[in-house]
Amino acid sequence: VRPATLDAGIGFVSASLDDEKMAATIARTFDVVTAFAVIEHCRFPLRAAKNLAGICAPGGLVILTTPLAGTYFERQAAGFSGWYYPPEHLHIFSRLGMTRLFRSLGCDLVHFERFELNSLRKFARSAICAAEGIAGQLLHAVRKPAWSRLREHRTTAGQEVGLYIFSRTA
């Protein structure tokens, strides 16, 4: 959705990242390409990443946010990620998975952090995730069958968001 007011110096692309020919239809490249909370909604995440890298100029940056998976919390929690809920979110990525995806497209990770709107929310989210991870690890140690059932039927309370900044090298 194009914002009602947009500085004339900012290019805005109105296209689907799932479109196989999207990058080829854009007449120029950009120094900074952003996609906040988008890639997890795409049917074809490799194609979406190719499109983002494809419209980024060499030496430019691709900045994106997406739900984070594969952390200690995610592996240990007595439940599954609340981020994965089709049809809205089709894919969730670990930091390693996202890094490998973009590296294969000539983009190097130059910055990563767990993203939150403010410090208080970041602290609260981190505390909830840590508590879920520790409780899950303890339950796994003493009652693995109960932990396994919860992994299948319970949604965790903690959910993290990753902020990635990639530099296009190729």
Side-chain angles (χ1 to χ4, degrees):
V1 176
R2 183 181 179 89
T5 58
L6 190 64
D7 184 281
I10 297 174
F12 183 83
V13 176
S14 180
S16 170
L17 289 175
D18 276 329
D19 183 348
E20 197 168 354
K21 298 176 182 142
M22 180 242 157
T25 64
I26 307 303
R28 60 179 277 212
T29 58
F30 300 90
D31 294 330
V32 178
V33 175
T34 61
F36 300 118
V38 175
I39 199 165
E40 66 274 14
H41 298 274
C42 295
R43 289 177 48 215
F44 308 106
L46 174 58
R47 186 179 299 161
K50 280 182 182 179
N51 281 322
L52 291 169
I55 62 173
C56 184
L61 300 174
V62 176
I63 304 171
L64 61 97
T65 62
T66 189
L68 183 59
T71 62
Y72 162 81
F73 147 70
E74 288 279 330
R75 292 188 311 274
Q76 299 300 322
F80 58 88
S81 173
W83 285 127
Y84 186 72
Y85 50 91
E88 289 89 8
H89 290 175
L90 303 176
H91 305 277
I92 54 175
F93 302 88
S94 67
R95 177 181 175 178
L96 179 61
M98 187 66 75
T99 301
R100 286 181 175 169
L101 174 64
F102 275 88
R103 187 181 304 133
S104 75
L105 302 169
C107 297
D108 291 330
L109 182 67
V110 294
H111 180 79
F112 170 83
E113 67 181 71
R114 286 173 171 83
F115 177 75
E116 192 50 78
L117 297 175
N118 63 54
S119 297
L120 182 58
R121 283 178 54 112
K122 190 171 193 172
F123 174 78
R125 190 183 296 260
S126 295
I128 292 167
C129 290
E132 286 249 10
I134 292 167
Q137 187 173 24
L138 291 171
L139 182 61
H140 185 269
V142 296
R143 298 208 43 219
K144 188 174 179 178
W147 179 85
S148 295
R149 280 192 304 279
L150 288 171
R151 287 287 285 186
E152 293 180 20
H153 301 290
R154 178 181 173 268
T155 303
T156 60
Q159 300 172 347
E160 297 178 294
V161 176
L163 169 68
Y164 300 84
I165 302 177
F166 295 96
S167 175
R168 180 157 180 241
T169 57

